[in-house]
Amino acid sequence: MAAEKSSIKIITLIAADGSVFEVEPNIVKEMKTVQSYIDELDQNTVSIPLPNVFGNDLAMIIEYCKKHASEEETKEAKEEFDFEFVKRMKSDDKLRLLQAASYLNMESFLQFMAKAIAAEIENQSVEFVRDYFQIESDFTPEEEAELRKENEWAFK
Amino acid sequence: MDFPNRRVFPPAFIPDHLIAEILSFLSVKTILRLKCVSKSWYTLISHPTFVQNHLNKSSRNPNFTLTLDDGYTFIPFRHLLENPSIAVKSDAFLQNPSLAALNDTSLQNQFLDILPHFNDFKIVDSCNGLILLCSKSRSIRLGYEYRFYIWNPATRIIYDKLGSLYYCAPNFQDHHLGFKFAFGFDDTTERYKVVAYRVVEDDNEDTTLGKSEVKVFSLGDSCWRNILSFPVIPLNWINLRYAYHNDAVHLSGTINWLAVKSYFHTFYEYKYITHVEQFVIVSLDLSTETYKQLLLPPGFDKVPSVQPVIRVLMDCLCFSHDFKNSEFVLWQMKEYGVQESWTQLFKIDYQNLQLNRLFNFRLVCLYINGDEVIILNGFNNQAVVYNLKNEIVQRIKLKIYNLKNLVVTRFDNNNNRFTHAKYYVESLVSVS
């Protein structure tokens, strides 16, 4: 495996606000952006700046990765953790973490966040969703009325 | 130290590929509603890539179709795992927005044609969220007429441009010789195809052999075409009581039947099968419209006392059979078409299933999710959720209530509707 070629023992991640996190290589395995960077290095330690991720968010992502990388934790414990992890987040946090997941190229974490956001907007109104994503409609009122009529039943 | 990051780095702009990931987790109803959020959302939701991505996610949560007195409902298998005693309102069909609301005025035109006869239409099969419905009616001049609809219950779109198929039955006794049907998707040409087949006795030989007639209707075409006959006769053709356990199954551009070699006549019985080598899977490639025969697992070496069964479970062809009247064995063909890839997934002692010993065991595995499996005894239509690891058994009790909250159907006793349950996944897929 690519990760084993590297001799790195400790990785220092530097968030956008300058906060510093020291982690072991197995924690960053899922962060493909970080992984591709360290694969090419032959040294014991490395510092990686992550200018698009804020400290609070990075702390949460690392917490998530630690739990999921752990071999001692049962599947049930991980599911319980995931549930609590999402529960304590606000909508904005989820959207920021989704973008961070995309930037760090973390496939399964990205899916996890996308699913959590989907759960918030499932069965919600168009207005709620526009507000959630801060989207202005670019349909004319006539166009929108037409679209709503097309699938009238979906609005009940 | 606390960093006030909420306003510094607001989620003002979420790129479309991330929006698509979020939306692909939603129900079809919510997605259709959100088409009018903005023009870019409308474009994104209408795109075939999104439709496919949504289907892939939705396929992880399959439903089974349940026939009610006045239509159909769809219940996620997962619900049964969470709670094996579930109650369904018979009017769920009309109220549940993800189901076809036939009383919805905006839909009446679409359903006008089919509405009076809806109960005559039976589900043949479902593929990518589309359900093939078929009705058979007596036509004075032409014998029997088969009519078809392709229905997406989630988007509520009905496709009706499938030609009728006629079958002339000279004698009333021959009515059972009418067509059987299968439905699948040819992923090479990206077309849905309906397969009609029937078998007649061929008396010209020393021994009576079956001669089959196979027709295909490609969606978008205007007529049925004859294709090559079956090299071997599907087991579900034979007029056996439990033949429906072996309806055709579709998988990655093919339709598959459990078949039997050296078929003799219409009134062939299961007990005439004496060698395990007589069983084979016949596979129709929907793009080339040619057949292949797939061998069963080498470990399957004795003709079981009851019919073995093929099903698609976890996107793989699976084969299950009785072993010495004491165990239920399930094999999975890990790589489609590769005989060496047959792997025994599990073997369950009948005693562990706590099924009523008074009945025979005609077991069919309906669903597998990790260690949990749903097993139906086709003999008395009892179904159980069984945990392979801790061996805990839970009887499935499905009750259907009417508007006055009276139980109209209980699925914990003899009722064959469960037996006819088909897989269904919600999707945005359409045909045109």
Side-chain angles (χ1 to χ4, degrees):
Chain A
M1 262 177 71
E4 280 152 3
K5 272 194 282 176
S6 167
S7 56
I8 291 171
K9 303 280 188 298
I10 288 291
I11 296 150
T12 308
L13 301 174
I14 306 159
D17 48 59
S19 52
V20 169
F21 299 85
E22 288 194 341
V23 294
E24 289 171 16
N26 70 322
I27 301 303
V28 298
K29 252 182 199 158
E30 218 217 310
M31 302 177 188
K32 294 218 181 65
T33 304
V34 173
Q35 196 63 51
S36 63
Y37 187 79
I38 61 175
D39 279 348
E40 292 159 18
L41 298 173
D42 186 25
Q43 57 201 58
N44 285 337
T45 55
V46 63
S47 294
I48 301 170
L50 299 170
N52 289 339
V53 188
F54 274 80
N56 289 1
D57 298 336
L58 193 55
M60 286 184 89
I61 294 171
I62 290 169
E63 186 190 349
Y64 177 90
C65 290
K66 273 186 182 161
K67 193 77 181 181
H68 281 262
S70 161
E71 282 163 18
E72 288 121 55
E73 299 285 349
T74 61
K75 192 173 156 247
E76 287 74 25
K78 284 177 187 173
E79 279 168 9
E80 175 70 21
F81 170 86
D82 287 355
F83 180 77
E84 293 298 328
F85 185 76
V86 171
K87 220 174 98 180
R88 63 185 151 114
M89 269 189 262
K90 292 195 173 67
S91 305
D92 281 3
D93 299 333
K94 287 178 192 158
L95 289 170
R96 267 195 341 274
L97 282 175
L98 177 77
Q99 287 179 306
S102 173
Y103 169 71
L104 293 168
N105 201 355
M106 303 171 71
E107 185 52 29
S108 75
F109 185 65
L110 190 147
Q111 293 297 320
F112 173 61
M113 290 317 303
K115 195 175 179 180
I117 296 163
E120 279 197 64
I121 61 172
E122 177 65 60
N123 222 6
Q124 295 289 356
S125 69
V126 172
E127 292 72 20
F128 176 94
V129 174
R130 277 186 191 137
D131 188 52
Y132 191 103
F133 291 98
Q134 300 174 29
I135 294 170
E136 297 272 340
S137 173
D138 48 3
F139 285 118
T140 64
E142 292 76 23
E143 283 171 336
E144 188 173 331
E146 183 73 18
L147 275 175
R148 281 177 185 260
K149 220 181 140 194
E150 213 172 87
N151 288 307
E152 209 182 338
W153 58 269
F155 292 86
K156 284 173 190 163
Chain B
M1 209 197 291
D2 193 38
F3 298 96
N5 60 14
R6 190 146 303 146
R7 288 294 151 217
V8 182
F9 189 42
F13 178 73
I14 309 283
D16 275 358
H17 75 274
L18 293 181
I19 295 288
E21 285 303 330
I22 297 166
L23 300 186
S24 64
F25 281 102
L26 296 172
S27 69
V28 167
K29 187 191 176 190
T30 302
I31 292 171
L32 291 179
R33 189 187 287 179
L34 299 184
K35 262 185 163 182
C36 64
V37 164
S38 72
K39 284 180 181 165
S40 70
W41 278 44
Y42 182 90
T43 312
L44 188 155
I45 289 167
S46 312
H47 199 278
T49 311
F50 177 74
V51 172
Q52 186 60 45
N53 191 7
H54 178 265
L55 172 64
N56 296 346
K57 295 240 167 74
S58 168
S59 300
R60 293 181 209 154
N61 184 23
N63 298 261
F64 62 96
T65 62
L66 196 63
T67 308
L68 304 176
D69 294 332
D70 55 353
Y72 299 102
T73 192
F74 309 101
I75 299 168
F77 279 107
R78 258 185 216 169
H79 285 190
L80 292 181
L81 299 185
E82 283 157 17
N83 181 7
S85 299
I86 66 168
V88 181
K89 284 213 165 192
S90 72
D91 62 326
F93 175 63
L94 300 175
Q95 284 186 351
N96 187 328
S98 71
L99 312 175
L102 294 185
N103 64 343
D104 188 324
T105 48
S106 66
L107 283 169
Q108 279 190 356
N109 284 339
Q110 208 188 88
F111 284 96
L112 214 52
D113 194 27
I114 179 171
L115 197 55
H117 319 286
F118 200 79
N119 287 341
D120 300 341
F121 282 85
K122 301 274 176 283
I123 292 180
V124 174
D125 204 355
S126 108
C127 179
N128 296 347
L130 302 173
I131 290 177
L132 176 70
L133 296 167
C134 172
S135 82
K136 180 184 180 184
S137 55
R138 191 103 173 102
S139 151
I140 307 288
R141 227 159 23 91
L142 295 155
Y144 287 96
E145 179 188 6
Y146 296 95
R147 294 169 69 211
F148 305 90
Y149 287 99
I150 286 176
W151 176 39
N152 183 330
T155 60
R156 305 186 174 190
I157 291 170
I158 285 236
Y159 179 86
D160 61 357
K161 291 176 193 68
L162 278 89
S164 285
L165 182 68
Y166 296 95
Y167 166 62
C168 299
N171 307 307
F172 185 73
Q173 303 92 284
D174 292 340
H175 76 277
H176 65 272
L177 297 176
F179 286 96
K180 284 189 188 288
F181 301 94
F183 181 44
F185 182 60
D186 168 10
D187 22 24
T188 313
T189 60
E190 302 201 327
R191 286 172 95 179
Y192 290 88
K193 291 188 175 181
V194 182
V195 178
Y197 57 100
R198 67 191 196 98
V199 182
V200 288
E201 283 174 28
D202 186 358
D203 294 321
N204 299 330
E205 313 266 335
D206 289 343
T207 49
T208 317
L209 284 167
K211 192 175 68 180
S212 64
E213 182 185 350
V214 187
K215 292 169 180 289
V216 166
F217 190 95
S218 291
L219 259 69
D221 284 358
S222 55
C223 63
W224 289 84
R225 286 180 290 111
N226 287 317
I227 64 162
L228 292 171
S229 324
F230 286 123
V232 282
I233 304 303
L235 200 60
N236 81 329
W237 177 261
I238 301 169
N239 220 10
L240 299 172
R241 198 167 154 220
Y242 298 95
Y244 48 75
H245 284 166
N246 272 308
D247 276 348
V249 294
H250 62 81
L251 178 67
S252 50
T254 66
I255 294 182
N256 304 272
W257 294 264
L258 186 62
V260 58
K261 290 180 189 169
S262 59
Y263 165 87
F264 294 100
H265 49 78
T266 316
F267 301 100
Y268 194 84
E269 285 185 38
Y270 181 76
K271 65 182 179 195
Y272 300 159
I273 303 172
T274 49
H275 302 291
V276 82
E277 292 77 24
Q278 282 174 268
F279 290 106
V280 69
I281 291 167
V282 58
S283 157
L284 170 64
D285 182 319
L286 287 173
S287 83
T288 60
E289 295 176 356
T290 54
Y291 303 96
K292 250 202 270 185
Q293 295 185 40
L294 311 178
L295 296 176
L296 294 166
F300 172 64
D301 54 8
K302 276 191 184 60
V303 177
S305 57
V306 291
Q307 269 188 75
V309 168
I310 61 165
R311 288 260 159 159
V312 172
L313 298 162
M314 302 179 296
D315 293 325
C316 283
L317 196 60
C318 289
F319 173 73
S320 63
H321 62 88
D322 161 88
F323 180 70
K324 290 185 174 171
N325 280 318
S326 63
E327 283 172 308
F328 176 68
V329 185
L330 188 129
W331 302 80
Q332 183 187 51
M333 196 177 219
K334 296 235 179 245
E335 197 179 332
Y336 180 75
V338 179
Q339 201 218 358
E340 294 72 37
S341 73
W342 281 115
T343 308
Q344 189 175 307
L345 282 196
F346 56 77
K347 204 174 189 180
I348 308 171
D349 196 308
Y350 291 155
Q351 281 182 349
N352 290 355
L353 292 173
Q354 297 169 22
L355 295 165
N356 194 330
R357 277 309 241 186
L358 291 171
F359 296 108
N360 285 333
F361 298 112
R362 292 184 175 275
L363 304 190
V364 183
C365 182
L366 300 179
Y367 182 63
I368 305 178
N369 183 24
D371 291 326
E372 290 185 300
V373 297
I374 296 178
I375 294 186
L376 168 79
N377 184 8
F379 190 83
N380 62 346
N381 298 293
Q382 259 179 22
V384 294
V385 176
Y386 179 70
N387 190 307
L388 295 165
K389 216 180 222 169
N390 61 22
E391 302 183 349
I392 290 174
V393 184
Q394 290 167 286
R395 272 272 291 281
I396 290 177
K397 292 176 184 166
L398 190 56
K399 287 179 191 167
I400 298 189
Y401 294 88
N402 65 10
L403 286 166
K404 290 172 190 152
N405 276 339
L406 298 168
V407 177
V408 286
T409 316
R410 293 169 68 100
F411 279 81
D412 54 344
N413 54 24
N414 216 350
N415 191 306
N416 68 5
R417 286 190 241 203
F418 217 168
T419 305
H420 292 284
K422 297 276 185 193
Y423 255 60
Y424 164 75
V425 294
E426 227 195 58
S427 87
L428 290 155
V429 171
S430 60
V431 278
S432 50

